[in-house]
Amino acid sequence: MSAAALPRAAAPLLGFGRLLRRYGFPVAPEQVSGFMQAVTLLGPRSMADIHEAALATLAPPPDRRDEFEAHFHSHFYGNTAAVVEGEADEETRVKDDGGASDEEIEVARQEKGGELSSGAEQLSARDFQRDGDGLAAFRRKLATALPVRRSFRTVRTHARGKLDMRRSLREIVSADGDVPSPLLRRRQMVRRKLLLLIDVSGSMKLYTSDYLKMAHAAVQGADRAEIFTFGTRLTRITTALRIRDRDQALARVAAQVDDWDGGTRMGPALLAFLSVPRFSAFARGAAVVILSDALERGGHAELEMAMRRLSARAFRLSLATPLAGDPRFQPATAALRAMLPVLDDLVDGSSISGLSDFILSLARPAPAAAAIWKRVS
């Protein structure tokens, strides 16, 4: 729902959520929606109800509670003297393609047709050249190559399962008490999700096109693949890549992403991804592959925090960097050293064929990245 379509009384509530985001509070759109719903449920009878709803749904960090209170009094009471001095933090903008219903997804599937890393935002457009599709084999194999997990749902089986008590009792009753052969069920095995996070900053300019072509093949080949791009912003492009014709899909991606070939804010972008509950759910139990050189400008504290949180959610967390294509490469930067202990894989991302082979091998166990690079160095 757009801001113009909201009731007039809801505008201050929406504005408070935007104010907090402008000052660097990790407030997801779902939290702002929950805030407005909570206020509706409470009446509200007084400003105390709005205050309690804000605390319960917007969940300010304990160390920023005083700042939260100052912004609340400034926004709702007009007490500008209470505002904490300082400029608003620069916010990582999140663009969601909105997802799609099953019918929309099916229509989309049938449709035809930087040398240095920087923290500065630079918005630009991108045009992808039309060429042959060399990823047909990768697309065909991916559906059966991804790791599997045991689902809580069960299916009927003739052997090596647990007794299906309900069906067995029905069978006994229908057979007038005779004991038939036992009827069994077993838990289903389902493929894990594949999540690709693609760095589109200037330092990755030479590889962006190949990565997006591989991402298109991944979405076409796997039922549960999710694709995001990040640079100075975070953009979900999965829906665009569901278009069967690759050139049309990439043209739509080119129009959707705003931060091509600009700066890099890897840490804030990943934290923005984790702050949106729907996005964070994509990483839970998934094989997560980050395609980036991991050249983070400034401090790496946010990047280290994001990688630890991402590792805790993912089944397998991998970093594919084109820098590893150099035989002399070592994870020597502060950012790489900080994230190495939580990585399952640190692999060469300079070759699209090698990267495709790696993704197809995600179901096979491998030593942790820290153990491999410790031996190498």
Side-chain angles (χ1 to χ4, degrees):
M1 181 182 292
S2 66
L6 287 172
R8 185 174 181 181
L13 307 180
L14 180 62
F16 184 57
R18 289 175 173 171
L19 173 69
L20 293 180
R21 286 176 62 86
R22 192 161 64 246
Y23 280 87
F25 284 82
V27 177
E30 289 85 351
Q31 289 176 280
V32 178
S33 176
F35 172 44
M36 292 190 288
Q37 291 173 4
V39 171
T40 302
L41 290 174
L42 290 173
R45 293 182 299 273
S46 66
M47 285 301 300
D49 290 338
I50 297 178
H51 182 259
E52 292 300 322
L55 288 176
T57 57
L58 303 179
D63 58 336
R64 301 188 68 182
R65 177 66 181 271
D66 292 340
E67 185 181 352
F68 177 88
E69 296 291 345
H71 287 302
F72 184 88
H73 283 82
S74 170
H75 184 75
F76 288 105
Y77 291 95
N79 183 10
T80 56
V83 178
V84 178
E85 294 296 330
E87 296 182 357
D89 293 336
E90 194 165 12
E91 177 188 353
T92 300
R93 298 191 182 182
V94 178
K95 180 184 284 189
D96 185 5
D97 56 10
S101 64
D102 293 340
E103 293 79 6
E104 290 171 331
I105 291 172
E106 186 60 29
V107 169
R109 287 188 183 277
Q110 298 298 330
E111 187 174 341
K112 299 292 184 179
E115 294 298 323
L116 296 176
S117 176
S118 168
E121 182 173 57
Q122 175 181 319
L123 305 185
S124 62
R126 192 74 184 267
D127 183 26
F128 295 99
Q129 296 181 352
R130 304 175 67 93
D131 56 9
D133 186 357
L135 292 164
F138 170 73
R139 184 170 57 247
R140 288 194 305 269
K141 295 176 182 178
L142 184 61
T144 57
L146 289 174
V148 296
R149 64 174 179 85
R150 286 208 304 167
S151 170
F152 288 103
R153 295 188 177 184
T154 59
V155 293
R156 299 178 182 182
T157 182
H158 297 292
R160 303 183 66 181
K162 292 185 178 181
L163 180 65
D164 187 342
M165 185 65 68
R166 180 178 296 179
R167 288 179 57 226
S168 297
L169 289 175
R170 283 203 304 264
E171 192 73 17
I172 290 172
V173 171
S174 64
D176 294 329
D178 290 339
V179 181
S181 299
L183 302 177
L184 307 176
R185 296 186 74 88
R186 62 175 176 80
R187 289 172 66 176
Q188 270 185 308
M189 303 300 291
V190 297
R191 296 288 167 185
R192 292 185 179 273
K193 293 172 286 189
L194 174 65
L195 172 62
L196 299 182
L197 300 167
I198 302 175
D199 186 345
V200 295
S201 63
S203 60
M204 295 290 292
K205 185 175 182 178
L206 296 177
Y207 307 95
T208 301
S209 178
D210 284 341
Y211 286 170
L212 289 172
K213 291 172 185 176
M214 189 187 66
H216 178 260
V219 171
Q220 296 298 314
D223 292 333
R224 306 178 68 198
E226 286 289 340
I227 316 296
F228 288 78
T229 64
F230 68 89
T232 55
R233 302 184 175 192
L234 177 74
T235 309
R236 180 174 182 257
I237 60 172
T238 308
T239 301
L241 293 177
R242 288 196 178 111
I243 299 174
R244 180 173 295 181
D245 184 272
R246 191 183 69 185
D247 295 316
Q248 290 185 14
L250 294 185
R252 185 168 298 183
V253 170
Q256 185 175 349
V257 178
D258 299 321
D259 53 339
W260 299 111
D261 309 331
T264 308
R265 299 181 196 140
M266 186 173 177
L270 293 180
L271 287 177
F273 171 86
L274 292 166
S275 71
V276 180
R278 190 166 72 90
F279 292 174
S280 181
F282 293 148
R284 188 171 294 114
V288 181
V289 182
I290 302 174
L291 309 175
S292 172
D293 52 16
L295 295 178
E296 184 77 336
R297 286 294 184 179
H300 62 273
E302 289 180 306
L303 177 58
E304 183 179 0
M305 180 193 307
M307 294 297 287
R308 290 188 182 279
R309 291 175 57 188
L310 199 55
S311 175
R313 286 168 171 77
F315 163 75
R316 186 164 176 171
L317 178 60
S318 309
L319 174 66
T321 171
L323 301 179
D326 188 338
R328 300 166 297 176
F329 169 77
Q330 293 292 333
T333 65
L336 283 175
R337 287 200 306 268
M339 70 173 69
L340 191 60
V342 301
L343 286 175
D344 294 294
D345 309 282
L346 176 58
V347 298
D348 178 13
S350 62
S351 165
I352 197 66
S353 60
L355 188 55
S356 301
D357 291 341
F358 166 71
I359 292 177
L360 293 176
S361 71
L362 286 172
R364 298 195 291 269
I372 292 176
W373 287 98
K374 185 176 181 180
R375 290 200 303 266
V376 171
S377 57

